[in-house]
Amino acid sequence: MFTLHGTGVGFGIAIGPARLIRRPGQEVPEYGIPPEQVEDEVRRLHDGVRSAIECLSVYYEQIWRESTEEVHAILDAHLLMMKDPMLTRESASIIRERQINAEYALQIHSEDLEAIFRNMDDPYMRGKADDVAQVIGRIQDELLGQHAGQSSLEGIVEGEIIVTHDLMPADTIDFKKYRVGAFLTNLGGPISHTAILARSMQIPAIVGLHEGIRYLKTGDMLVIDGKRGVVLVDPDEAALDVYRKRAEKIERAHQALDAIVDKPATTLDGHSVALTANIEFAEEIVESIARNAEGIGLYRTESLFMNRKEFPDEEEQFGIYSTLLGKTGRPVTIRTLDLGADKQVDGGRQSMSPATNPALGRRAIRLCLHDLTLFKPQLRALYRASVHGELRIMIPMISNLEELDQLFVLLGEIRDELEAGGLPFRPDIPIGGMIEVPAAAVAADLFARRLDFLSIGTNDLIQYTLAIDRIDDEVNYLYDPLHPSILRLIKSVIDAGNAAGIPVSMCGEMAGDAAYTRILLAMGLRELSMDPAVIPQVKQKIRLTDIGKIEPMVGELLSAGDSGRYRELIERIEI
Ligand code: PEP
Ligand code: MG
């Protein structure tokens, strides 16, 4: 038994077997083989090579007709290389000499061969190094249980724990379908979109294991503590017992919190707080209503565009938004597309070409205003759906006022078109903006004058203000919602909203962490939007808070120059 540590991002505890999923370029696991099992490992290597040849041959047959002569030549060469007895013989000797697993032995052999080819003078021969890497990669995939041409999740057994180098949000949204038990990744941070999705699907997860997964192999029994970020590998009975009991305790604590579902989110001194839900999928509305959310504070529409070849057209979106509004029967804030950066999709368009630094590139409103074929169908669908409920439209990542100028012209055009076409819509849908770029936070008063509401997106606001990429595990330790700059920005956005007489809410992950509830209330927030699963915890904290007692400390906190005093004030407010 041993443990690995990372950043816990999902809820609860999962116990189950590991399933390694390898992505191109990802490291293979490396582990020792006891001397008496070395010959079995050599047999495993032979089996892996055999099934890689079979799979590639089948795949070859399937694509034969529609592929070109060039592709045939490449696949012929790959099959020849795979069948070369030298490849298996050399890798088998490495297993025997070093007593290591087959995947890693292949890796060593691959690197030696690649180096030989790369040092050749002839450019054609130098190119062969890539073929070697691909052929050996296919055999390694076979050994790890992934077959050529197969989706990486096919064949997953319910309850298995996905172990992989990195995951995109688009990978994660299929996890529910495959009833994945939990997932572990080397990369990633707690506020990456992948992590947010894991929380919304209530899948325990640990990210940022820093190459930790190289010590794991498919079939290893794992215990995942999604709160503490601890992975137990091959746990003994005593440890399993402790974790089973802990899982039961968590379940009981959740049930106990259910008791406050129908109680109001009102502080001890009588301030009401609106708790709304963040949802990723329209189906989550059921849970949001069950948790008594006052509405939807953030519907991220990106998942509608993921894992499909064609993006949804106006009609399809109209159907989805109308049903959602009708079913909710409470205010629903739908955010327009926030694609790009950490929210990539398959079959991206030219307008989504990869930027040098995607987080600072053409994402969200920038992408939408650039590509109206993407934006207009969504806006038209939203306007048309508005007659089915109480809709608010929210624009992500606004950073300058010209974007608002362009947006309002476009909305005017859409209203004119709908009217001319005799299609019903509500002309006065509140239009709000997410304050998640420091530029918008600093100039929030200017944005507040032009918008009907503001919502603070702390995930991005923290990323951009503290200059820490939200998906980079190496700088995760700097993620700090209580950094003085963040609290100051939040306070000034709340003040700007109040001065303009428009509501200000928060929909970043900070809003759903009960550790920050009091400081947010003390600074004046009265609407918090979060994953529906955490609404009871935040509500409980609100019900135990006396704003009158903590509010007077905010002034000193925001100007405290001494870090000791700063921490002391935070503690006095939060505890
Ligand atoms: C945010 O940035 O805080 C936010 C809510 O948006 P997302 O996490 O989808 O970028
Ligand atoms: Mg954001």
Side-chain angles (χ1 to χ4, degrees), residues 36 183 199 333 491 524:
E36 68 280 9
F183 69 81
R199 276 193 286 273
T333 306
K491 181 77 173 86

Side-chain angles (χ1 to χ4, degrees), residues 9-11 169 172-176 183 190 192-205 277-288 291 298-300 303 509 530-534:
V9 295
F11 293 100
T172 322
I173 62 173
D174 277 342
F175 283 2
K176 207 154 196 168
F183 69 81
S192 64
H193 197 227
T194 299
I196 292 169
L197 274 162
R199 276 193 286 273
S200 88
M201 297 191 289
Q202 297 181 34
I203 296 176
N278 288 356
I279 62 169
E280 304 278 339
F281 311 98
E283 310 88 74
E284 282 180 273
I285 191 62
V286 179
E287 191 188 351
S288 310
R291 304 267 173 185
L298 166 64
Y299 172 30
R300 291 180 167 101
S303 61
E509 293 299 285
M530 65 201 71
D531 188 310
V534 296

Side-chain angles (χ1 to χ4, degrees), residues 246-470:
R246 198 173 279 170
E248 283 164 20
K249 202 169 150 201
I250 293 173
E251 187 50 38
R252 278 199 302 277
H254 273 137
Q255 282 168 4
L257 276 176
D258 282 349
I260 67 163
V261 160
D262 295 324
K263 303 229 167 88
T266 307
T267 62
L268 292 172
D269 51 344
H271 296 273
S272 290
V273 183
L275 298 183
T276 52
N278 288 356
I279 62 169
E280 304 278 339
F281 311 98
E283 310 88 74
E284 282 180 273
I285 191 62
V286 179
E287 191 188 351
S288 310
I289 293 173
R291 304 267 173 185
N292 226 344
E294 288 194 22
I296 303 300
L298 166 64
Y299 172 30
R300 291 180 167 101
T301 50
E302 295 76 56
S303 61
L304 295 178
F305 290 71
M306 286 175 180
N307 296 345
R308 51 188 292 168
K309 288 209 172 67
E310 295 291 327
F311 286 166
D313 62 9
E314 177 183 325
E315 281 314 307
E316 185 179 342
Q317 292 188 63
F318 167 65
I320 293 167
Y321 304 146
S322 306
T323 314
L324 178 67
L325 282 159
K327 266 198 194 158
T328 313
R330 301 171 197 194
V332 176
T333 306
I334 301 186
R335 179 174 76 181
T336 56
L337 263 177
D338 184 10
L339 289 179
D342 64 327
K343 305 177 188 88
Q344 297 290 339
V345 285
D346 275 354
R349 313 172 165 216
Q350 273 231 296
S351 55
M352 293 185 66
S353 56
T356 320
N357 185 340
L360 302 180
R362 195 193 279 155
R363 59 171 283 205
I365 185 64
R366 300 171 182 180
L367 172 69
C368 286
L369 287 174
H370 175 80
D371 186 350
L372 293 185
T373 62
L374 194 64
F375 201 21
K376 247 183 127 175
Q378 181 172 45
L379 291 173
R380 282 179 55 100
L382 285 169
Y383 265 91
R384 286 175 55 201
S386 64
V387 292
H388 294 285
E390 215 177 311
L391 172 66
R392 307 200 306 173
I393 295 178
M394 182 156 80
I395 312 297
M397 231 202 138
I398 46 169
S399 61
N400 67 57
L401 293 165
E402 285 72 23
E403 285 162 350
L404 291 188
D405 295 338
Q406 286 181 54
L407 173 76
F408 289 132
V409 169
L410 184 62
L411 295 183
E413 278 171 21
I414 286 173
R415 285 192 296 265
D416 290 346
E417 278 173 23
L418 294 176
E419 203 164 314
L423 291 163
F425 66 94
R426 265 188 41 201
D428 56 348
I429 305 171
I431 308 293
M434 284 192 68
I435 303 296
E436 50 183 350
V437 176
V442 171
D445 55 329
L446 306 179
F447 288 89
R449 276 185 230 156
R450 315 251 327 253
L451 291 162
D452 299 312
F453 65 94
L454 303 179
S455 186
I456 306 172
T458 48
N459 307 338
D460 278 312
L461 188 60
I462 294 171
Q463 151 166 270
Y464 294 124
T465 307
L466 302 186
I468 46 167
D469 190 331
R470 62 194 273 189

